């Protein structure tokens, strides 16, 4: 599977992963655009935008609470654990578009959440921010200051957290190997990260059950699943 680049993999010091909803699919979390896609049932522009939130905060909160319950009941899969395991052998960073926290639960210690986190909430007005520890008695939940709380995620039309985005560009621009896993690369600016890595001469690997716009510019693009492929990648590197 990785024979042709096993030397680059063994020599590599810094490996950066860019992950999307596809890496959590085998944990039972629906992807956005696949056949089981979340957005088959819901219209993304209807729910994952600030306008949608102010138009119908209860509906948007119900969507996130349904997803949060699903995520809390899910477990990391062998794809997540392989990436965490690789930290024993290499310097590893994970630039994830996912808000499910499964990389951290699998043991990864350097995770950049480009689109925020479903287990954190923040106030729409004051600077209150906290982890969600239980379910809410009412939706939308209110802050002590009286204003509505919202999920601490990045909605369409909102910019990514500047510090996270800056670090993500630094990581992508300074890695020896980039592994792009389970993302359709449909959403910007996250989909620029593989371009930064390629521009800086990284060895490019893609693991995705479908073709993506960058498949043809990868050194290796595997049409296979994250949970079955990433453990093979790690054993190739750690041999
Ligand atoms: C910004 C958090 C600017 C919330 C998400 C037109 C109109 C409006 C906006 C735009 C527009 N054109 C461009 C834009 C910009 C927009 C954008 O890119 N839109 C797209 C849809 C065209 N981007 C933004 O708005 C971003 N902000 O640009 O700000 C700005 C600048 C300055 C000042 C102000 C503003 C913000 C984008 C973040 C949006 N939030 N999520 C939530 O999750 O609820 S995006 C959402 O999509 C998720 O984060 C998700 O991760 C992300 C991308 O999807 P993927 O992860 O790639 O998932 P997908 O289902 O698409 O693909 C899964 C892949 O895995 C598939 O290829 C599948 O085949 C594969 N797969 C499936 N199973 C497996 C597998 N692979 C391996 N193994 C498996 N088992
Ligand atoms: Zn407040």
């Amino acid at each position: 599977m990785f024979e042709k680049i096993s030397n680059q993999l063994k020599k590599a010091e810094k490996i950066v992963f860019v992950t999307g909803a596809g890496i959590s699919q085998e944990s039972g979390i629906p992807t956005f655009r696949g056949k089981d896609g979340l957005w088959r049932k819901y219209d993304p522009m209807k729910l994952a935008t600030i306008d949608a939130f102010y138009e119908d905060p209860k509906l948007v909160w119900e969507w996130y609470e349904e997803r949060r319950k699903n995520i809390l009941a899910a477990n990391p899969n062998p794809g997540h654990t392989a990436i965490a395991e690789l930290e024993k052998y290499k310097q590893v960073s994970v630039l994830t578009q996912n808000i499910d926290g499964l990389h951290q639960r699998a043991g990864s210690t350097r995770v950049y959440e480009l689109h925020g986190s479903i287990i954190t909430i923040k106030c729409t007005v004051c600077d209150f921010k906290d982890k969600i520890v239980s379910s809410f008695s009412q939706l939308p939940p209110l802050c002590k200051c009286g204003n509505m709380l919202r999920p601490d995620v990045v909605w369409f039309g909102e910019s990514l957290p500047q510090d996270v985005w800056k670090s993500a560009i630094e990581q992508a621009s300074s890695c020896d190997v980039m592994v792009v896993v389970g993302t359709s690369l449909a959403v910007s600016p996250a989909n620029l990260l593989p371009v930064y890595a390629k521009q800086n001469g990284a060895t490019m690997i893609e693991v995705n059950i479908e073709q993506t716009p960058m498949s043809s510019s990868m050194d290796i693009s595997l049409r296979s699943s994250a949970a079955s492929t990433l453990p093979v990648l790690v054993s190739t590197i750690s041999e």
Side-chain angles (χ1 to χ4, degrees):
M1 207 182 250
F2 298 101
E3 295 71 28
K4 111 172 175 197
I5 58 163
S6 65
N7 296 341
Q8 287 106 303
L9 289 174
K10 290 189 191 311
K11 268 198 329 245
E13 279 164 31
K14 188 169 175 179
I15 301 183
V16 167
F17 289 81
V18 171
T19 66
I23 196 168
S24 297
Q25 186 265 336
E26 287 158 288
S27 294
I29 297 174
T31 63
F32 284 79
R33 294 169 184 80
K35 47 192 173 317
D36 67 343
L38 258 182
W39 294 350
R40 286 270 170 281
K41 293 192 287 294
Y42 305 94
D43 168 0
M45 287 310 168
K46 180 118 193 50
L47 294 180
T49 65
I50 193 95
D51 301 345
F53 177 71
Y54 280 104
E55 197 186 301
D56 190 343
K58 195 166 171 346
L59 174 68
V60 172
W61 260 111
E62 281 163 359
W63 183 46
Y64 278 95
E65 279 304 275
E66 185 192 325
R67 289 173 65 193
R68 190 168 68 87
K69 288 203 173 38
N70 187 359
I71 282 164
L72 292 177
N75 292 306
N77 64 57
H80 297 106
T81 31
I83 294 175
E85 169 84 9
L86 190 58
E87 290 192 6
K88 289 185 197 143
Y89 310 100
K90 300 287 179 187
Q91 197 198 323
V92 178
S93 300
V94 182
L95 314 178
T96 187
Q97 299 171 84
N98 299 339
I99 61 173
D100 58 31
L102 288 181
H103 284 297
Q104 294 92 323
R105 281 172 50 195
S108 286
T109 59
R110 212 190 340 263
V111 180
Y112 296 85
E113 293 180 311
L114 304 168
H115 295 159
S117 163
I118 202 163
I119 52 173
T120 317
I121 32 169
K122 64 183 181 186
C123 182
T124 48
V125 175
C126 77
D127 56 7
F128 170 79
K129 188 182 263 203
D130 200 2
K131 287 251 174 286
I132 304 177
V133 286
S134 60
S135 37
F136 301 105
S137 51
Q138 63 163 68
L139 293 178
L142 298 183
C143 177
K144 283 192 282 305
C145 76
N147 290 292
M148 276 193 299
L149 293 171
R150 59 165 280 183
D152 184 21
V153 298
V154 179
W155 279 324
F156 286 104
E158 292 188 314
S159 43
L160 278 57
Q162 283 317 307
D163 51 337
V164 174
W165 178 237
K166 189 166 160 291
S167 309
I169 293 176
E170 283 159 10
Q171 294 292 328
S173 309
S174 60
C175 61
D176 304 307
V177 175
M178 175 171 277
V179 189
V180 183
V181 189
T183 174
S184 61
L185 294 172
V187 171
S188 64
N191 59 4
L192 298 177
L193 293 168
V195 178
Y196 283 112
K198 191 159 174 64
Q199 271 170 354
N200 285 278
T203 300
M204 302 296 292
I205 300 172
E206 180 178 56
V207 175
N208 196 311
I209 55 172
E210 284 169 319
Q211 189 93 356
T212 74
M214 283 205 66
S215 297
S216 53
S217 41
M218 296 285 166
D219 294 285
I220 288 196
S221 180
L222 298 170
R223 285 297 144 272
S224 55
S225 91
S228 61
T229 311
L230 293 180
V232 177
L233 172 68
V234 173
S235 55
T236 307
I237 291 175
S238 57
E239 239 149 42

